[in-house]
Amino acid sequence: GEALARLAPGGVDVVFEGVGGRMLQTALAHLKEDGRLLQVGYISEYPHNPDRAAETAAHDLETSSLFWKAETIQRGKQTIYGNAWPKDFAAVAGCKQRVLDLHASGQLAALVDEKRT
């Protein structure tokens, strides 16, 4: 959360989130009032994780229903899109190469919080 607060003090416009649990709660806490969150998974809440219950309790969303039913919900002015993966990957095939090209040219950079807790 500290990195988001520093990088986007006014909040984040869009979040691409696939972890769930505490990571989802952090994203929601830093989402702008009218921000959008695209859920692409919730791996921290899957049955294999022994901390699943604590991860699921970290937020107020029904992540499994949101994902498997591909629900779209409103939280005030915020929009949460469940299972935001494209249904037709052929329709977005060119987007992948565009993102890779932007990254290769240095026009798109990934920001990673190096802090380990």
Side-chain angles (χ1 to χ4, degrees):
E2 293 171 23
L4 281 175
R6 186 178 65 252
L7 293 169
V12 180
D13 291 312
V14 178
V15 174
F16 187 80
E17 209 286 314
V19 178
R22 289 183 292 243
M23 184 67 72
L24 173 59
Q25 180 53 40
T26 298
L28 291 170
H30 291 85
L31 195 60
K32 280 188 175 178
E33 179 182 339
D34 60 347
R36 292 156 294 166
L37 185 138
L38 292 81
Q39 180 211 36
V40 295
Y42 58 107
I43 196 163
S44 71
E45 299 178 51
Y46 291 178
H48 74 281
N49 183 359
D51 295 327
R52 174 186 185 195
E55 290 290 336
T56 301
H59 57 77
D60 62 350
L61 298 179
E62 288 290 332
T63 49
S64 63
S65 178
L66 186 64
F67 185 82
W68 293 109
K69 293 180 181 179
E71 297 173 332
T72 298
I73 60 172
Q74 296 294 135
R75 292 180 72 225
K77 294 180 184 177
Q78 296 173 339
T79 306
I80 314 296
Y81 300 96
N83 196 352
W85 290 110
K87 305 306 179 232
D88 178 6
F89 281 96
V92 295
C95 298
K96 175 184 171 186
Q97 192 56 52
R98 180 171 179 258
V99 169
L100 292 173
D101 290 345
L102 286 168
H103 184 266
S105 72
Q107 293 177 293
L108 178 66
L111 299 176
V112 178
D113 183 2
E114 299 293 333
K115 181 179 175 185
R116 304 273 187 235
T117 57

